[in-house]
């Protein structure tokens, strides 16, 4: 029998089971709700509306405040000016003084109260109004009490008094403190406006006093420089930024103006006293600049200011002897002062000052070299004019040899060599740094050579002496190059340029030309191992010598060409011996240019031109013998062909085949040899060029030839070429021969075809076209049928 619990225990068990079922049912319902939510499509929630735009102020409150204050102060100042100028006469003296004084005192005293309330911007605006009113007070005093006083003198005194008054006012209202650690009290808040304004007013007293006294240019210049000196002292010693800015503007502006005025006085001075005054003013300006450079903290600014001081010193000292020396000694005088200025570089001055003084000295030397360039250019380029008047007569002096009507000798150029030598000496002695020493040496060499070039013309020595001097310098330079262990490219270039000028100068006389060209040829040939350009120069002068010898013998240009051809021969022989040398290519180029010159000289005489071309071809063929110069064979072939053509033209041969066959036969022979060595060579490469040279020109000639022998012979030749191509299966002969044969036949049958086309009915051409199309269609169908049969056979084989 089954045990039955008591009723109370059974009720408890039933309640427990029901509670478990409720919990399970709740869990299942929660899971069911989550699944339903997950299976539903997502619904886009509406976005919240954007916040309303916030209006930002377009400017800040301090800026608005400053604008309002400045505008208010300006309006009050304008009103005060209008009152003073317009309404002044309507009041009595007492009323005028009372009104203007009260307003001025009120404007000047108000900033004190405003500063105590820390309203400094408003105080600045009211203080500016007060400063403007003081100017009106001064004007009112002049108009009422002192109307007969000199205006400029009164303005000078008034500007000095105003500057003092404004300075005291600015210091009284909390001027700048040297120590920044002490905090400013409300009553001692500094004003920015009075002190810069006072310094601006201080620029006028001395200048206005000099203008009022009619003191002249020296006194006005002195006033400018003294004011600039005061500005410089203020800028270097006052720590207030606004004051320093005004002082710097005044120092640079008035100092520059005064320095320019002093330099102009020095340049235009005629007497000793005037020169001394101008020199004193320039030295004063230089002292201001050098003192400022000593104290300036910025090294770059100090360098440039010291450079300006050095230039002013050179201008002062160099202008003293200028008034008593001739005009050609002006630049050397300044140059000597600049060289003396370099002594300061060796002193214990600060590094920025030494750099600035060196920069000033270098600038003066550079200007001196530029001044000496025109006579150098005339001495260098003037002899080129003798190319157009060869052997017309020897000039008497060296200056006449270089200066012509179109290029006159520059004035005051007698001391140009001295200037160049002095600058060269400075470069050689002063520049000792390892980095700049090679450049300075090159510059000194160039300047010395320029001085030697211009010296004969500057001294106006005889023509033969000038030629000898220039030749000796070239000999000395080349001898130094030959004995030097290191290459000297700059020295060689200088010698080369001088030799060109000397060669042009020698064109004045026949004997001189021959002697100079022969000497230059030997000299440059002697140093050919020291520079790659030396052999080129030697061959160039040898070419010129050959032309000069031919002209001296009275030969015609075409015969001179044979003499010039010796140069390409020598160049080819030397190039063969200099294998691997860097001078070989320049030698060959020079020889080729000489060959072109020979061809140009022989152009007027066609028979001689043919001979010259043939000789050039021989030289090119000899060059092509070398393994590394095989491409010269193409030039030799072209020259041989040109020589043959020119000779045929001289004989009056008009047949085009006479010109083309001499090219075709060697070309075909070369092609045959090439295909024998390399069977893979294309027939177009081997025979295409050779066949085209004859077939194409002959076809063009036959096309316009009314006779029948030429087309017949051309057709026979084209047929032979076509058969040879078909026999040996060569594409080039087959295509070229067949094409020429077809065109030649078309040319011969063209009249008959035209007659036939006129005799046939008009339906014949369309019928012929239809037949052709039918034949092509049948052929196409037959090929498709054959392809299908092959496909079926292959299918059955499976």
């Amino acid at each position: 029998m089954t045990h039955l619990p008591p009723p109370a225990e059974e009720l408890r068990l039933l309640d427990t089971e029901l509670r478990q079922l409720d919990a399970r049912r709740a869990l299942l319902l929660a899971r069911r709700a989550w699944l339903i939510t997950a299976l539903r499509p997502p619904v886009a929630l509406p976005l919240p509306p954007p916040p309303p735009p916030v209006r930002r102020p377009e400017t800040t409150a301090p800026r608005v405040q400053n604008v309002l204050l400045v505008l208010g102060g300006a309006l009050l100042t304008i009103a005060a000016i209008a009152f003073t100028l317009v309404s002044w006469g309507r009041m009595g003296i007492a009323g005028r003084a009372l009104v203007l004084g009260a307003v001025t005192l009120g404007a000047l005293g108000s900033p004190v109260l405003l500063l105590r309330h820390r309203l400094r911007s408003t105080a600045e605006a009211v203080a500016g109004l007060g400063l403007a009113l003081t100017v009106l007070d001064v004007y009112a005093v002049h108009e009422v009490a002192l109307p007969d006083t000199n205006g400029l003198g009164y303005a000078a005194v008034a500007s000095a008094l105003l500057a003092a008054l404004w300075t005291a006012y600015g210091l009284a209202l909390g001027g700048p403190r040297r120590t920044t650690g002490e905090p400013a009290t409300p009553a001692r808040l500094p004003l920015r406006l009075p002190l810069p304004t006072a310094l601006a007013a201080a620029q006028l007293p001395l200048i206005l006093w000099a203008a009022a006294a009619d003191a002249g240019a020296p006194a006005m210049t002195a006033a400018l420089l003294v004011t600039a000196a005061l500005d410089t002292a203020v800028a270097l010693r006052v720590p207030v930024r606004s004051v320093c800015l005004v002082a710097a503007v005044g120092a640079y502006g008035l100092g520059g103006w005064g320095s320019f005025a002093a330099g102009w006085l020095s340049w235009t001075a005629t007497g000793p006293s005037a020169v001394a005054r101008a020199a004193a003013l320039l030295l004063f300006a230089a002292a201001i600049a050098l003192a400022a450079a000593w104290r300036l903290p910025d090294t770059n600014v100090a360098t440039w200011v010291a450079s300006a001081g050095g230039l002013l010193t050179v201008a002062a000292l160099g202008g003293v002897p200028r008034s008593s020396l001739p005009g050609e000694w002006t630049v050397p005088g300044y140059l000597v002062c600049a060289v003396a200025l370099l002594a300061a570089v060796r002193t214990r001055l600060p590094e920025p000052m030494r750099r600035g003084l060196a920069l000033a000295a270098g600038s003066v030397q550079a200007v001196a070299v530029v001044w000496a360039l025109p006579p150098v250019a005339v001495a260098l380029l003037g002899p080129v004019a003798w190319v157009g008047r060869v052997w017309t007569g020897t000039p008497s002096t060296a200056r006449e040899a270089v200066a012509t009507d179109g290029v006159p000798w520059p004035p005051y150029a007698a001391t140009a060599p001295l200037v160049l030598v002095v600058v060269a000496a400075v470069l050689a002695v002063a520049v000792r740094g390892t980095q700049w020493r090679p450049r300075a040496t090159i510059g000194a060499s160039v300047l010395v050579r320029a001085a030697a070039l211009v010296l004969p013309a500057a001294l106006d020595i005889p023509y033969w002496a000038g030629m000898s001097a220039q030749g000796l310098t070239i000999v000395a330079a080349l001898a130094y190059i030959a004995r030097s262990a290191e290459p000297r490219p700059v020295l060689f270039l200088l010698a080369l340029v001088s030799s060109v000028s000397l060669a042009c100068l020698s064109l004045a006389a026949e004997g001189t030309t021959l002697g100079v060209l022969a000497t230059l040829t030997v000299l440059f040939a002697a140093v050919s191992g020291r520079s790659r350009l030396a052999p080129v120069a030697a061959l160039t002068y040898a070419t010129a010598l050959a032309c000069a010898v031919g002209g001296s013998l009275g030969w015609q240009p075409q015969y001179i060409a044979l003499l010039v051809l010796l140069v390409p021969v020598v160049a080819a022989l030397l190039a063969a011996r200099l294998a691997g040398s860097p001078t070989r290519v320049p030698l060959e180029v020079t020889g080729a240019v000489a060959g072109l010159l020979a061809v140009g000289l022989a152009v007027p005489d066609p028979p001689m031109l043919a001979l010259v071309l043939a000789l050039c071809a021989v030289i090119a063929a000899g060059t092509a013998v070398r393994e590394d110069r095989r491409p010269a064979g193409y030039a030799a072939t072209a020259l041989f062909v040109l020589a043959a053509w020119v000779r045929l033209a001289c004989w009056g041969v008009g047949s085009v085949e006479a010109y083309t066959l001499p090219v075709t036969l060697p070309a075909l022979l070369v092609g045959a040899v090439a295909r024998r060595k390399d069977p893979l060579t294309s027939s177009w490469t081997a025979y295409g060029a050779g066949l085209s040279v004859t077939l194409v020109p002959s076809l063009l000639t036959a096309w316009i030839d009314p006779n029948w022998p030429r087309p017949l012979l051309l057709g026979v030749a084209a047929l032979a070429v076509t058969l040879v191509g078909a026999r040996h299966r060569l594409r080039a002969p087959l295509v070229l021969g067949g094409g020429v044969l077809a065109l030649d036949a078309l040319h011969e049958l063209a009249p008959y075809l035209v007659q036939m086309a006129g005799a046939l009915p008009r339906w014949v051409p369309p019928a012929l076209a239809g037949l052709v199309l039918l034949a092509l269609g049948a052929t196409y169908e037959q090929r498709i049928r054959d392809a299908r049969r092959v496909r079926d056979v292959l299918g059955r084989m499976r």
Side-chain angles (χ1 to χ4, degrees):
M1 294 180 66
T2 302
H3 174 71
L4 295 175
E9 180 67 17
E10 184 177 1
L11 180 60
R12 185 184 64 83
L13 291 175
L14 290 176
D15 291 339
T16 302
E17 291 292 337
L18 290 174
R19 284 196 298 270
Q20 290 179 355
L21 290 175
D22 291 338
R24 180 64 179 170
R25 184 173 181 278
L27 179 63
L28 294 176
L29 289 175
R31 180 65 179 172
R32 179 176 178 276
W34 181 87
L35 290 175
I36 293 173
T37 304
L39 292 176
R40 288 177 182 176
V43 178
L45 298 177
L47 296 177
V54 179
R55 293 187 178 182
R56 298 179 181 272
E58 296 181 355
T59 183
T60 60
R63 292 183 179 179
V64 175
Q65 164 195 303
N66 293 335
V67 170
L68 294 177
L69 291 175
V70 171
L71 183 59
L75 292 177
L76 288 175
T77 304
I78 294 172
I81 295 173
F83 169 77
T84 304
L85 296 179
V86 177
S87 300
W88 185 259
R90 302 177 183 177
M91 303 177 65
I93 297 177
R96 301 171 189 174
L98 181 62
V99 172
L100 195 56
V103 173
T104 303
L105 291 177
L108 292 177
S110 298
V112 177
L113 299 176
L114 294 173
L115 288 175
R116 289 180 178 178
H117 292 82
R118 292 187 173 274
L119 300 175
R120 190 171 65 176
S121 297
T122 307
E124 294 279 0
V126 177
L129 175 62
L131 298 180
L133 289 174
T134 56
V135 178
L136 295 178
D137 291 338
V138 171
Y139 170 75
V141 170
H142 179 267
E143 291 295 323
V144 174
L146 303 171
D148 299 329
T149 307
N150 186 1
L152 290 176
Y154 179 80
V157 176
S159 59
L161 293 176
L162 287 176
L165 176 63
W166 293 347
T167 302
Y169 179 71
L171 294 176
L173 290 184
R177 298 176 179 271
R178 291 188 177 274
T179 59
T180 58
E182 179 183 354
T185 61
R188 299 285 295 176
L189 288 175
L191 290 179
R192 300 187 182 94
L193 187 60
L195 292 180
T197 308
L199 184 59
Q203 310 297 312
L204 302 176
L206 291 177
I207 301 173
L208 293 177
W209 170 81
D214 291 332
M220 179 62 74
T221 304
L224 291 171
L225 293 177
V226 170
T227 306
L230 296 176
D231 289 332
T232 303
V234 172
L236 293 175
R237 298 186 65 86
V238 175
V240 182
R241 183 176 180 180
S242 58
V243 177
C244 289
L245 180 60
V246 175
V249 172
Y252 283 112
L254 297 179
W257 185 10
S259 300
F260 178 78
W264 181 256
L265 290 175
S266 176
W267 184 258
T268 57
T270 55
S273 60
V275 171
R277 286 194 301 269
L281 292 172
L282 285 172
L283 288 176
F284 181 49
I288 296 172
L290 294 176
W294 187 291
R295 296 291 303 273
L296 282 172
D298 192 341
T299 57
N300 293 328
V301 178
T303 299
W304 288 108
V305 173
S307 175
L311 291 176
L312 292 172
T313 304
V314 172
L317 300 178
V320 174
R322 185 188 60 81
S323 60
S324 58
L325 293 177
E328 57 266 16
W329 290 97
T330 299
V331 175
Y334 287 105
L335 179 61
V336 170
C337 297
V339 174
L341 187 64
L342 288 175
V345 180
R346 302 296 179 185
T347 61
R348 295 183 178 181
L349 292 174
E351 179 63 24
M353 292 190 65
R354 287 188 283 135
R355 285 202 307 265
L357 294 177
L359 180 61
S363 301
V364 175
Q365 294 178 58
V367 172
V369 170
V370 172
W371 173 82
L373 286 182
V376 175
V378 172
L380 185 63
L381 302 178
V384 180
W386 287 101
V387 176
R389 44 194 179 102
V390 179
W391 298 348
T392 56
T394 303
S396 58
T397 63
R399 185 176 298 179
E400 293 181 4
V402 299
T404 59
D405 296 335
V407 185
W409 184 252
Y412 306 117
T415 55
L418 177 62
V419 170
L420 296 173
V421 170
V422 170
V423 178
V426 171
L427 288 176
V429 175
V431 182
R432 299 182 181 275
T434 56
Q435 180 180 0
W436 292 95
R437 183 65 180 176
R439 303 177 185 177
T441 304
I442 294 174
S445 303
V446 173
L447 293 176
V448 170
R449 187 66 198 96
L453 183 66
V454 79
L455 183 62
L459 297 178
D460 203 13
I461 62 177
Y463 169 76
W464 63 269
M467 292 283 294
S468 301
Q470 192 168 350
L472 288 177
T473 57
I474 296 173
V475 172
L478 294 179
Y480 180 76
I481 292 172
R483 296 174 62 86
S484 178
E486 298 179 357
R488 305 288 180 179
V490 176
L491 188 59
F492 178 81
L493 288 177
L494 294 175
L496 182 60
V497 172
S498 301
S499 68
V500 173
S501 177
L502 181 63
C504 293
L505 283 176
S506 68
L507 297 176
E510 179 179 344
T512 307
T513 302
L514 296 176
V516 168
L517 292 178
T519 303
L520 293 177
T521 302
V522 174
L523 289 175
F524 282 99
V527 296
S528 58
R530 307 297 300 170
S531 175
R532 66 177 63 183
L533 294 179
V536 176
L539 289 179
T540 302
Y541 286 124
T543 304
L545 178 62
C547 295
V549 170
S552 177
L553 296 176
W555 290 3
Q556 296 295 325
Q558 60 269 23
Y559 300 106
I560 298 177
L562 297 176
L563 197 59
V564 173
L565 281 179
L566 294 175
V567 176
V569 173
V570 174
L573 294 176
L574 290 177
R577 295 176 59 87
L578 297 175
S581 174
T583 61
R584 183 177 60 170
V585 174
L587 275 176
E588 293 174 343
V589 173
T590 307
V593 173
L596 291 177
L597 176 61
V599 172
L601 291 174
V603 166
D605 189 359
M608 187 59 67
L609 176 61
L611 177 60
V612 170
L613 289 172
L615 294 176
C616 291
V618 172
I619 298 172
T623 303
V625 172
R626 303 202 308 267
E627 184 66 28
D628 55 344
R629 289 294 182 266
R630 296 300 188 197
Y634 298 107
T637 302
L639 290 171
F640 274 125
V641 171
L642 289 176
W645 287 358
V646 172
R647 175 55 62 183
L648 290 173
C650 294
W651 289 339
V653 177
S655 177
V656 67
E657 288 77 15
Y659 298 91
T660 57
L661 284 177
V663 180
T664 296
L665 295 178
L668 293 178
L669 181 61
V670 172
V673 173
R675 279 187 61 84
R676 177 170 296 181
K677 291 183 178 180
D678 186 8
L680 298 179
T681 302
S682 172
S683 62
W684 287 105
T685 304
Y687 307 117
L691 293 175
S692 300
V693 168
T694 294
L695 292 178
V696 175
S698 298
L699 178 62
L700 296 177
T701 305
W703 199 266
I704 59 176
D705 191 355
N707 300 319
W708 61 270
R710 182 186 298 275
L712 179 60
L713 294 176
L714 178 61
V716 172
L719 178 60
V721 170
T722 304
L723 294 177
V724 170
R727 172 66 178 82
H728 296 281
R729 297 181 181 180
L730 299 176
R731 186 177 298 175
L734 186 63
V735 173
L736 290 175
V740 171
L741 179 61
L743 293 176
D744 185 66
L746 179 63
H747 172 265
E748 292 301 313
L749 296 177
Y752 303 103
L753 294 176
V754 172
Q755 294 178 1
M756 184 182 299
L760 291 176
R762 294 186 177 181
W763 57 266
V764 173
L768 293 176
L771 292 176
V772 171
L773 292 176
L774 288 176
L776 291 175
T779 304
Y780 187 77
E781 183 181 5
Q782 182 178 3
R783 291 181 178 178
I784 293 176
R785 184 191 58 190
D786 295 339
R788 288 176 178 174
R789 287 180 179 177
V790 171
R791 185 189 61 184
D792 295 340
V793 170
L794 293 177
R796 287 194 296 269
M797 291 175 63
R798 289 185 302 179

